Amino acid sequence: MQTRGWAARVGQMESFKVMDLLRRAKELEAQGRDVIHMEIGEPDFSTATAIVEAGQRALAQGRTQYTAALGIAPLREAISVFYQQRYGLNIAPERIIVTPGGSGALLLLSALLVNPGEHLLMADPAYPCNRQFMRLVEGQARLLPTQAEQGFHLTPEQLQQHWQANTAGILLASPANPTGMVLHRQPLQALCQTAQQLGGHRLVDEIYHGLTYGMDAPSVLEVDDHAFVLNSFSKYFGMTGWRLGWIVAPQQAVADLEKLAQNLYISAPTVAQYAALAAFESDTLVELEQRRAEFGRRRDFLVPALRELGFSIPVVPEGAFYVYADASALTQDSFQFCQQLLEQEGVAVTPGLDFGQHRCREFIRFAYTTSLPRLQQAVERIGRFIGRQS
């Protein structure tokens, strides 16, 4: 009797290459090699002490049962207050859904908004897992090539040109992974208005909000109250392993999102929810702002250092903690470049192949999520590696 194979969708999904590189980096470290990690999008700071202590208290108090699928009321209220303080927006707590990470948020929104055979328009390059979520719900991600001159963002003209009957909407990101670029208020509003006029949903990934340098990123909710926002406690709040995020949705979508959450994962991690209440305390926010300033210093070192090595960086990233650099003057295959750099010099970076198709073998993403001395050491190693290639 022949055993059935796996579902076809699994074979059609691509691996997350940065995780493949991370696995190899960990293997090298287990062999005693020193590896500088610039591949993974994870802040090197530990979770703030106040958040950890709040989580410990929750455990000591026995808060280990399921919560409501939408999240605990105090956390939904705290997020609502945060929107008022940070953006001047009055977002009712009832519109906020707490999720297991930003990935849980995207899972819910994909299931809610995309029918089989439909697609969302996205920028190329973009966060790679977005494509795989679309495949999971039998939809598609339709990637449209973007240019540095437009901040690697979509334009209203592209939406008009590529919109089809089976276009469900757009998925934007600001600040964006891998480019670190921000959608400012006017272009953000223009994209949302165009998508709305075309009859599509507007989804905006604001996971890197709070991590911008010399400016603040506007929320899409400032220009489009009917957009869907997905956010996370992972990046600015430094809670990657706690697996906690949230959605802000139009009120009429909440009941269906709740139904999906009940069926897909029951609720977000309980201890993480109680811990996250401390993320909004004034002392915690002061600490997080200090970390933001440190990321800014790292960016200001890394961008000119990479340019000096021969990478082209036409626009300075405005947020997140990535530099998306054109390596075409140094290699014809950035994937091979990244593999060899890891093996020969112990520097782990991510090839553009992870983020789309447009000029993907010309670009490399550098994450400045490690300390400034380690970044300086990485630049020395990369320079040595390039010197051997010439």
Side-chain angles (χ1 to χ4, degrees):
M1 181 176 177
Q2 188 174 2
T3 304
R4 284 178 59 87
W6 312 134
R9 69 175 65 88
V10 178
Q12 295 164 2
M13 288 183 176
E14 304 165 18
S15 66
F16 194 1
K17 293 175 181 57
V18 68
M19 300 308 294
D20 295 338
L21 282 166
L22 179 62
R23 182 179 64 247
R24 178 55 182 159
K26 294 295 185 182
E27 291 173 355
L28 292 174
E29 287 178 318
Q31 298 168 13
R33 291 279 302 278
D34 176 54
V35 176
I36 301 175
H37 291 277
M38 301 177 69
E39 81 282 37
I40 194 72
E42 181 172 36
D44 57 326
F45 300 108
S46 299
T47 301
T49 301
I51 299 174
V52 174
E53 291 177 347
Q56 291 170 333
R57 287 194 300 273
L59 282 171
Q61 293 165 0
R63 298 186 184 278
T64 55
Q65 289 79 29
Y66 295 133
T67 73
L70 295 176
I72 61 173
L75 183 56
R76 297 169 74 197
E77 291 165 2
I79 295 170
S80 173
V81 171
F82 183 70
Y83 273 92
Q84 174 61 51
Q85 295 173 340
R86 183 61 61 98
Y87 305 102
L89 292 170
N90 293 314
I91 304 297
E94 293 76 19
R95 293 178 56 191
I96 296 167
I97 298 98
V98 180
T99 61
S103 296
L106 187 55
L107 174 63
L108 290 188
L109 292 176
S110 301
L112 178 74
L113 302 175
V114 181
N115 287 307
E118 293 183 340
H119 62 252
L120 292 179
L121 298 181
M122 304 180 194
D124 184 348
Y127 177 61
C129 296
N130 294 345
R131 308 194 297 272
Q132 314 315 330
F133 276 107
M134 292 300 102
R135 183 63 190 87
L136 186 65
V137 298
E138 306 300 332
Q140 292 181 320
R142 189 171 180 204
L143 301 181
L144 305 182
T146 59
Q147 309 301 326
E149 295 74 20
Q150 283 77 43
F152 294 105
H153 292 301
L154 298 176
T155 66
E157 292 75 21
Q158 283 181 302
L159 301 190
Q160 294 278 3
Q161 180 181 354
H162 294 282
W163 203 273
Q164 297 176 350
N166 63 339
T167 303
I170 57 174
L171 174 54
L172 309 174
S174 176
N177 176 9
T179 65
M181 299 305 295
V182 169
L183 265 168
H184 295 270
R185 187 182 183 92
Q186 186 173 354
L188 180 59
Q189 184 173 28
L191 284 166
C192 288
Q193 287 178 341
T194 301
Q196 186 174 22
Q197 290 165 1
L198 292 167
H201 299 296
R202 288 83 63 206
L203 292 74
V204 183
D205 171 351
E206 297 186 353
I207 285 172
Y208 291 94
H209 267 232
L211 292 175
T212 51
Y213 313 107
M215 47 83 70
D216 290 319
S219 172
V220 68
L221 298 172
E222 298 176 37
V223 299
D224 184 354
D225 193 53
H226 294 282
F228 292 83
V229 168
L230 57 122
N231 210 321
S232 171
F233 285 92
S234 291
K235 309 303 183 180
Y236 176 67
F237 295 100
M239 295 178 65
T240 49
W242 298 78
R243 305 313 303 134
L244 201 65
W246 75 83
I247 293 169
V248 180
Q251 186 63 55
Q252 64 268 26
V254 172
D256 284 326
L257 286 168
E258 181 179 20
K259 178 174 62 177
L260 286 167
Q262 291 168 341
N263 283 279
L264 292 176
Y265 55 75
I266 300 179
S267 64
T270 302
V271 173
Q273 292 188 62
Y274 283 98
L277 291 171
F280 301 107
E281 295 176 358
S282 58
D283 288 347
T284 305
L285 292 172
V286 168
E287 182 177 349
L288 298 180
E289 285 300 302
Q290 291 170 346
R291 294 180 177 188
R292 171 169 40 174
E294 174 59 23
F295 280 126
R297 285 188 285 271
R298 295 176 185 181
R299 179 201 67 165
D300 292 344
F301 161 76
L302 188 59
V303 169
L306 291 175
R307 284 172 170 166
E308 187 69 22
L309 291 176
F311 295 94
S312 174
I313 306 169
V315 288
V316 177
E318 300 167 304
F321 31 61
Y322 307 115
V323 178
Y324 197 57
D326 182 348
S328 58
L330 303 171
T331 180
Q332 295 182 335
D333 187 345
S334 64
F335 184 66
Q336 183 182 65
F337 183 99
C338 293
Q339 288 180 311
Q340 293 177 346
L341 178 63
L342 176 59
E343 298 292 337
Q344 296 180 26
E345 290 292 344
V347 178
V349 295
T350 307
L353 196 61
D354 233 355
F355 305 106
Q357 301 173 346
H358 180 57
R359 300 182 62 196
C360 62
R361 290 193 178 271
E362 299 177 29
F363 279 84
I364 295 172
R365 189 191 74 175
F366 297 84
Y368 45 93
T369 48
T370 191
S371 68
L372 190 55
R374 290 292 273 172
L375 291 178
Q376 293 168 336
Q377 190 177 8
V379 168
E380 292 176 5
R381 294 185 186 185
I382 297 168
R384 187 165 61 221
F385 173 78
I386 291 172
R388 287 200 301 272
Q389 310 305 304
S390 57

